[in-house]
Amino acid sequence: MKNTLFSTIDSFRDLSVAVIGESILDSYLSGKPRHLCREAPVPAVAIENRTDSAGGAANTAVNTAAL
């Protein structure tokens, strides 16, 4: 089965793929909460790190290209 899987993945090189959809930029923010907002019970966070990655159809395109 392992050889079948690898041969199937290798056959993807001969394919042309069109991805149709919205390209979205996903942003992940992280940090430490400081206090609760006055307007709603939501923590106010001091952002320490931001990570951006492809989302939506852009994620599908990136994953397809990786194959």
Side-chain angles (χ1 to χ4, degrees):
M1 178 167 172
K2 190 173 185 180
N3 291 333
T4 305
L5 177 62
F6 289 137
S7 63
T8 301
I9 292 173
D10 287 340
S11 70
F12 290 168
R13 294 178 191 204
D14 300 330
L15 298 177
S16 295
V17 177
V19 177
I20 300 171
E22 297 176 330
S23 294
I24 301 170
L25 179 65
D26 290 339
S27 295
Y28 300 95
L29 307 174
S30 62
K32 295 182 181 178
R34 297 245 172 167
H35 58 272
L36 290 178
C37 290
R38 295 179 190 185
E39 296 83 14
V42 178
V45 178
I47 297 172
E48 297 174 356
N49 189 21
R50 176 180 175 163
T51 304
D52 296 325
S53 63
N59 185 24
T60 303
V62 168
N63 290 333
T64 303
L67 286 174

